[in-house]
Every structure is written in structure tokens, then in C-alpha cells.
Amino acid sequence: DIQLTQSPPFLSASVGDRVTITCRASQGISKFLAWYQQKPGSAPRLLIYGASTLQSGVPSRFRGSGSGTEFTLTVSNLQPEDFATYYCQQLNTYPFTFGPGTTVDIK
Amino acid sequence: EVQLVESGGGLVKPGGSLRLSCAASGFTFSSHTMNWVRQAPGKGPEWVACVTGGSHFIYHADSVKGRFTISRDNAKNSLFLQMNSLRTEDTAVYYCARTSGSGTYNSPYYFDYWGQGILVTVSS
């Protein structure tokens, strides 16, 4: 199975900050990576797919990049509603594994 | 509007069985691969199983293989997960999720719609 690691596991930030989350895959997955946002008590919400394509309705302050084994999610001008946990998921090879998550909380 | 609504969860003893259902609406159900994804308390999501639109390809995670079975009924726009020989480690919120994309470089897969989730608790 393809393993995903995320760093950092926790991140404290302020409204207006720019934050970057990294996801690394144990083997090359081309661009087949998605990013999700999850808030307590809710299902994950798709933000980015194909490593860099913004899902319809997602604000443009979210940006994804990378290919192969290293990917990043950048959130610019952090808004109060962005404080959540973020997961990456590889969709290159079954099983479609998820990363362990990065929690962004308010500093 | 796309909607996915899970049902059938609850409390069950170790070794017991449960059948989850997911009612889909708002899209052409038979055109999409469907998935079950679970999330144990305080943990990240874990993909469990998928079934293609015509049920030609079915895949289960190793952690549930031989115990869980995914299936679908396109006539009823429904997805199912039969869970047998349940273990305490199967305790989780179970989500159904829709796959979009075709898995090619120009149209990668992604899970664009998720249900609200249903809690399954395995405890004596």
C-alpha cells in the first residue's frame, strides 16, 4: 500500500496568515492526489484534486501543488472558517489511502 | 442537488453483523463508482471498499476483506455494506462517498460528495 505522511501534524496560525501543509507519498503517484478539509462532526470536504485543480465552489485562497512524491496545500489569507483538519489522499493505486491529517488551530 | 444518506448503523456485539445502506439522489447513480470510507474516533479517514457503476470491479481494503462486502442496486439508487464478524476496531463513523473522474492523467479520480456519516459501535 502507498503510505502518506503529512507535516506538520499541528499548526497554530492567525487570521490573515498564509499556511503550508506538506504531504509525502511512499512512492510516486504522479498528480493523483486530493486534499480535503474536515471540521468536527462533519464529513470531509473536497478542496483540491489532481494535485492542483480547485474544486468548484472552493475559495481561490486554497492552492495545491506538487507531483510524484511531494505535494503542498497552501492557504493564503487564512479565514476563521479555515480552522480545521486537512487530509491528503492518494488516488493512484488501490487502496486509496489518506494521510494522518494536519490540524490548523487559532493561535 | 446531490445527496447521499447513510442508514443502518448502531451498537453491535463483537462477532455480530450489520448492514449499512446509502441512498443516493440528484445524479445518475449508475454512472459513478461508489465507496465506503470510515473514520475511527480521533483518527483520519480509512478507505474501506469501492464498487464500479456496473459492479464489474469491486475492491475491499485488507482490513475488512473476507468480512465486509460492498454491493449496489442501481435500480434503487442504493449502496450497501454488509459487515460480518465485526471487531471492536471496526468502531467508526462510516461514510459513503462518490467517485468522480475517470482515473486518467487529464481526468483524475476524486471523492466529491460524501454522506453525513453513520456511527457503528462494536462493543460488548
Side-chain angles (χ1 to χ4, degrees):
Chain A
D1 296 0
I2 296 174
Q3 309 300 320
L4 298 178
T5 58
Q6 287 184 236
S7 59
F10 298 96
L11 196 159
S12 289
S14 302
V15 172
D17 283 354
R18 183 172 72 178
V19 300
T20 298
I21 300 167
T22 299
C23 177
R24 290 186 174 87
S26 59
Q27 63 190 77
I29 58 171
S30 185
K31 68 173 192 178
F32 299 116
L33 187 105
W35 289 97
Y36 301 86
Q37 176 194 69
Q38 188 176 33
K39 297 180 181 178
S42 295
R45 170 198 178 200
L46 176 68
L47 301 174
I48 302 281
Y49 64 93
S52 60
T53 301
L54 195 67
Q55 170 67 348
S56 176
V58 174
S60 58
R61 62 181 181 271
F62 291 90
R63 187 172 70 87
S65 64
S67 67
T69 60
E70 187 157 329
F71 303 84
T72 59
L73 173 69
T74 300
V75 187
S76 303
N77 187 23
L78 206 63
Q79 295 299 296
E81 60 268 29
D82 300 335
F83 293 96
T85 300
Y86 294 84
Y87 295 98
C88 56
Q89 180 199 22
Q90 66 83 17
L91 299 102
N92 181 73
T93 307
Y94 285 106
F96 287 165
T97 44
F98 290 83
T102 295
T103 299
V104 179
D105 65 9
I106 300 173
K107 187 184 292 184
Chain B
E1 180 194 6
V2 172
Q3 282 197 313
L4 298 170
V5 180
E6 301 93 341
S7 61
L11 174 63
V12 61
K13 288 182 168 51
S17 297
L18 216 51
R19 180 176 165 90
L20 302 183
S21 299
C22 173
S25 61
F27 66 103
T28 304
F29 182 68
S30 59
S31 296
H32 288 264
T33 294
M34 296 298 296
N35 306 271
W36 288 101
V37 177
R38 69 183 180 183
Q39 190 166 27
K43 303 292 187 183
E46 177 191 13
W47 177 85
V48 171
C50 73
V51 55
T52 53
S55 299
H56 298 299
F57 177 79
I58 290 175
Y59 196 103
H60 297 86
D62 285 348
S63 58
V64 306
K65 202 171 291 183
R67 301 187 300 122
F68 291 11
T69 303
I70 190 172
S71 63
R72 65 191 295 161
D73 183 339
N74 287 341
K76 296 182 178 179
N77 288 344
S78 293
L79 177 72
F80 306 102
L81 186 68
Q82 178 66 44
M83 303 187 294
N84 299 331
S85 303
L86 281 159
R87 305 168 180 167
T88 55
E89 56 264 36
D90 295 319
T91 294
V93 173
Y94 284 73
Y95 297 99
C96 64
R98 185 181 87 166
T99 299
S100 286
S102 56
T104 63
Y105 188 83
N106 291 324
S107 178
Y109 288 134
Y110 50 98
F111 291 6
D112 56 350
Y113 286 95
W114 298 61
Q116 84 286 355
I118 191 85
L119 178 62
V120 171
T121 303
V122 184
S123 174
S124 54

